Amino acid sequence: AFRISIHSASDEPVLIKIMDIQGRLMSAQGLTGARQISMGDALLPGVYQMVISQGKDMVTKKLIKIN
């Protein structure tokens, strides 16, 4: 699983999406406020892309799941 910490001064909701290398949505979760969550328990080992968006802001990270 991937542990994700969200810290934001904004009250806008945060959307976290995990996609496989072909762009298929594997997992998604919406959050509000600062939190720590765990995602990706059911994913097979491989390379994934995580997109975190809040309002007009977006961050993309590459994830590698080993086991």
Side-chain angles (χ1 to χ4, degrees):
F2 303 108
R3 190 172 303 177
I4 304 158
S5 295
I6 303 292
H7 304 280
S8 175
S10 173
D11 291 336
E12 288 189 70
V14 176
L15 177 61
I16 302 170
K17 297 189 284 188
I18 297 178
M19 293 170 281
D20 69 8
I21 202 157
Q22 294 157 339
R24 293 180 295 210
L25 182 64
M26 306 303 289
S27 181
Q29 187 164 345
L31 306 171
T32 54
R35 292 186 47 178
Q36 184 173 0
I37 63 165
S38 182
M39 291 178 73
D41 290 335
L43 297 176
L44 296 174
V47 178
Y48 297 91
Q49 182 176 10
M50 177 176 62
V51 179
I52 303 171
S53 58
Q54 182 180 39
K56 294 180 181 180
D57 298 322
M58 182 173 66
V59 175
T60 302
K61 297 289 182 181
K62 182 167 112 175
L63 305 174
I64 300 172
K65 185 168 184 183
I66 298 171
N67 57 8

